[in-house]
mmCIF file of all heavy atoms in Angstrom:
data_model
loop_
_atom_site.group_PDB
_atom_site.id
_atom_site.type_symbol
_atom_site.label_atom_id
_atom_site.label_comp_id
_atom_site.label_asym_id
_atom_site.label_seq_id
_atom_site.Cartn_x
_atom_site.Cartn_y
_atom_site.Cartn_z
ATOM 1 N N GLY A 79 76.226 -131.780 -73.080
ATOM 2 C CA GLY A 79 75.614 -131.563 -71.769
ATOM 3 C C GLY A 79 74.236 -132.177 -71.710
ATOM 4 O O GLY A 79 73.605 -132.440 -72.743
ATOM 5 N N SER A 80 73.752 -132.422 -70.519
ATOM 6 C CA SER A 80 72.406 -132.963 -70.324
ATOM 7 C C SER A 80 71.572 -131.953 -69.548
ATOM 8 O O SER A 80 72.103 -131.123 -68.804
ATOM 9 C CB SER A 80 72.466 -134.293 -69.570
ATOM 10 O OG SER A 80 73.152 -134.141 -68.342
ATOM 11 N N TRP A 81 70.266 -132.042 -69.736
ATOM 12 C CA TRP A 81 69.390 -131.064 -69.099
ATOM 13 C C TRP A 81 67.977 -131.603 -69.001
ATOM 14 O O TRP A 81 67.597 -132.531 -69.698
ATOM 15 C CB TRP A 81 69.366 -129.744 -69.883
ATOM 16 C CG TRP A 81 68.815 -129.879 -71.274
ATOM 17 C CD1 TRP A 81 69.500 -130.238 -72.400
ATOM 18 C CD2 TRP A 81 67.454 -129.690 -71.682
ATOM 19 N NE1 TRP A 81 68.651 -130.268 -73.486
ATOM 20 C CE2 TRP A 81 67.394 -129.945 -73.084
ATOM 21 C CE3 TRP A 81 66.281 -129.320 -71.028
ATOM 22 C CZ2 TRP A 81 66.215 -129.841 -73.815
ATOM 23 C CZ3 TRP A 81 65.104 -129.212 -71.757
ATOM 24 C CH2 TRP A 81 65.078 -129.468 -73.126
ATOM 25 N N TYR A 82 67.193 -131.024 -68.106
ATOM 26 C CA TYR A 82 65.741 -131.230 -68.075
ATOM 27 C C TYR A 82 65.112 -129.988 -67.464
ATOM 28 O O TYR A 82 65.766 -129.211 -66.760
ATOM 29 C CB TYR A 82 65.341 -132.505 -67.321
ATOM 30 C CG TYR A 82 65.691 -132.536 -65.856
ATOM 31 C CD1 TYR A 82 64.802 -132.061 -64.892
ATOM 32 C CD2 TYR A 82 66.901 -133.082 -65.416
ATOM 33 C CE1 TYR A 82 65.110 -132.097 -63.546
ATOM 34 C CE2 TYR A 82 67.215 -133.125 -64.077
ATOM 35 C CZ TYR A 82 66.326 -132.642 -63.142
ATOM 36 O OH TYR A 82 66.630 -132.677 -61.810
ATOM 37 N N PHE A 83 63.855 -129.808 -67.778
ATOM 38 C CA PHE A 83 63.143 -128.605 -67.352
ATOM 39 C C PHE A 83 62.201 -128.965 -66.214
ATOM 40 O O PHE A 83 61.561 -130.009 -66.232
ATOM 41 C CB PHE A 83 62.347 -128.023 -68.526
ATOM 42 C CG PHE A 83 61.860 -126.627 -68.298
ATOM 43 C CD1 PHE A 83 62.752 -125.577 -68.174
ATOM 44 C CD2 PHE A 83 60.512 -126.353 -68.202
ATOM 45 C CE1 PHE A 83 62.315 -124.284 -67.974
ATOM 46 C CE2 PHE A 83 60.057 -125.065 -67.998
ATOM 47 C CZ PHE A 83 60.967 -124.027 -67.884
ATOM 48 N N VAL A 101 67.582 -127.512 -65.169
ATOM 49 C CA VAL A 101 68.663 -128.262 -64.535
ATOM 50 C C VAL A 101 69.589 -128.722 -65.648
ATOM 51 O O VAL A 101 69.191 -129.503 -66.517
ATOM 52 C CB VAL A 101 68.107 -129.457 -63.734
ATOM 53 C CG1 VAL A 101 69.239 -130.184 -63.016
ATOM 54 C CG2 VAL A 101 67.059 -128.988 -62.725
ATOM 55 N N ALA A 102 70.807 -128.219 -65.649
ATOM 56 C CA ALA A 102 71.698 -128.432 -66.791
ATOM 57 C C ALA A 102 73.124 -128.659 -66.319
ATOM 58 O O ALA A 102 73.563 -128.107 -65.305
ATOM 59 C CB ALA A 102 71.649 -127.225 -67.734
ATOM 60 N N SER A 103 73.851 -129.481 -67.071
ATOM 61 C CA SER A 103 75.275 -129.667 -66.806
ATOM 62 C C SER A 103 76.065 -128.561 -67.484
ATOM 63 O O SER A 103 75.562 -127.830 -68.342
ATOM 64 C CB SER A 103 75.735 -131.042 -67.302
ATOM 65 O OG SER A 103 75.606 -131.125 -68.705
ATOM 66 N N VAL A 185 73.072 -130.151 -63.007
ATOM 67 C CA VAL A 185 72.779 -131.582 -62.951
ATOM 68 C C VAL A 185 73.780 -132.218 -61.987
ATOM 69 O O VAL A 185 74.986 -132.043 -62.130
ATOM 70 C CB VAL A 185 72.906 -132.220 -64.357
ATOM 71 C CG1 VAL A 185 72.929 -133.737 -64.251
ATOM 72 C CG2 VAL A 185 71.767 -131.772 -65.244
ATOM 73 N N ARG A 186 73.255 -132.947 -61.010
ATOM 74 C CA ARG A 186 74.121 -133.592 -60.000
ATOM 75 C C ARG A 186 73.766 -135.080 -59.972
ATOM 76 O O ARG A 186 72.733 -135.479 -59.433
ATOM 77 C CB ARG A 186 73.914 -132.949 -58.634
ATOM 78 C CG ARG A 186 74.347 -131.480 -58.622
ATOM 79 C CD ARG A 186 73.643 -130.694 -57.532
ATOM 80 N NE ARG A 186 74.039 -131.044 -56.195
ATOM 81 C CZ ARG A 186 75.023 -130.461 -55.512
ATOM 82 N NH1 ARG A 186 75.707 -129.466 -56.067
ATOM 83 N NH2 ARG A 186 75.325 -130.837 -54.291
ATOM 84 N N ILE A 187 74.619 -135.900 -60.587
ATOM 85 C CA ILE A 187 74.376 -137.328 -60.695
ATOM 86 C C ILE A 187 75.444 -138.079 -59.903
ATOM 87 O O ILE A 187 76.643 -137.920 -60.147
ATOM 88 C CB ILE A 187 74.401 -137.789 -62.160
ATOM 89 C CG1 ILE A 187 73.318 -137.064 -62.969
ATOM 90 C CG2 ILE A 187 74.201 -139.300 -62.261
ATOM 91 C CD1 ILE A 187 73.327 -137.402 -64.441
ATOM 92 N N LEU A 195 68.133 -143.817 -62.280
ATOM 93 C CA LEU A 195 67.631 -142.629 -62.965
ATOM 94 C C LEU A 195 66.622 -143.005 -64.038
ATOM 95 O O LEU A 195 66.628 -144.112 -64.564
ATOM 96 C CB LEU A 195 68.790 -141.851 -63.594
ATOM 97 C CG LEU A 195 69.793 -141.248 -62.613
ATOM 98 C CD1 LEU A 195 70.945 -140.624 -63.382
ATOM 99 C CD2 LEU A 195 69.138 -140.215 -61.722
ATOM 100 N N SER A 196 65.755 -142.034 -64.368
ATOM 101 C CA SER A 196 64.771 -142.252 -65.426
ATOM 102 C C SER A 196 65.286 -141.658 -66.731
ATOM 103 O O SER A 196 66.380 -141.114 -66.804
ATOM 104 C CB SER A 196 63.442 -141.592 -65.043
ATOM 105 O OG SER A 196 63.608 -140.195 -64.977
ATOM 106 N N PHE A 197 64.466 -141.768 -67.777
ATOM 107 C CA PHE A 197 64.849 -141.226 -69.083
ATOM 108 C C PHE A 197 64.329 -139.798 -69.242
ATOM 109 O O PHE A 197 63.811 -139.438 -70.284
ATOM 110 C CB PHE A 197 64.297 -142.115 -70.200
ATOM 111 C CG PHE A 197 64.951 -143.458 -70.268
ATOM 112 C CD1 PHE A 197 64.330 -144.566 -69.731
ATOM 113 C CD2 PHE A 197 66.198 -143.604 -70.852
ATOM 114 C CE1 PHE A 197 64.932 -145.808 -69.793
ATOM 115 C CE2 PHE A 197 66.802 -144.833 -70.920
ATOM 116 C CZ PHE A 197 66.179 -145.954 -70.381
ATOM 117 N N ASP A 198 64.450 -138.991 -68.215
ATOM 118 C CA ASP A 198 63.929 -137.631 -68.268
ATOM 119 C C ASP A 198 64.959 -136.630 -68.781
ATOM 120 O O ASP A 198 64.662 -135.454 -68.921
ATOM 121 C CB ASP A 198 63.463 -137.189 -66.870
ATOM 122 C CG ASP A 198 62.225 -137.944 -66.424
ATOM 123 O OD1 ASP A 198 61.520 -138.460 -67.297
ATOM 124 O OD2 ASP A 198 61.989 -138.012 -65.216
ATOM 125 N N TYR A 199 66.192 -137.081 -69.031
ATOM 126 C CA TYR A 199 67.248 -136.162 -69.438
ATOM 127 C C TYR A 199 67.275 -135.990 -70.948
ATOM 128 O O TYR A 199 67.024 -136.919 -71.701
ATOM 129 C CB TYR A 199 68.612 -136.676 -68.970
ATOM 130 C CG TYR A 199 68.810 -136.588 -67.477
ATOM 131 C CD1 TYR A 199 68.318 -137.569 -66.634
ATOM 132 C CD2 TYR A 199 69.475 -135.503 -66.912
ATOM 133 C CE1 TYR A 199 68.488 -137.495 -65.265
ATOM 134 C CE2 TYR A 199 69.652 -135.417 -65.543
ATOM 135 C CZ TYR A 199 69.153 -136.411 -64.719
ATOM 136 O OH TYR A 199 69.317 -136.319 -63.364
ATOM 137 N N ASN A 200 67.581 -134.770 -71.355
ATOM 138 C CA ASN A 200 67.792 -134.446 -72.763
ATOM 139 C C ASN A 200 69.264 -134.118 -72.971
ATOM 140 O O ASN A 200 69.953 -133.690 -72.043
ATOM 141 C CB ASN A 200 66.949 -133.239 -73.174
ATOM 142 C CG ASN A 200 65.478 -133.447 -72.903
ATOM 143 O OD1 ASN A 200 64.758 -134.023 -73.693
ATOM 144 N ND2 ASN A 200 65.018 -132.977 -71.748
ATOM 145 N N GLY A 201 69.739 -134.312 -74.189
ATOM 146 C CA GLY A 201 71.128 -133.995 -74.494
ATOM 147 C C GLY A 201 71.234 -132.796 -75.414
ATOM 148 O O GLY A 201 70.363 -132.566 -76.256
#
Side-chain angles (χ1 to χ4, degrees):
S80 56
W81 63 274
Y82 63 90
F83 194 66
V101 183
S103 64
V185 167
R186 296 156 69 91
I187 300 177
L195 295 175
S196 65
F197 291 100
D198 291 338
Y199 289 83
N200 304 275

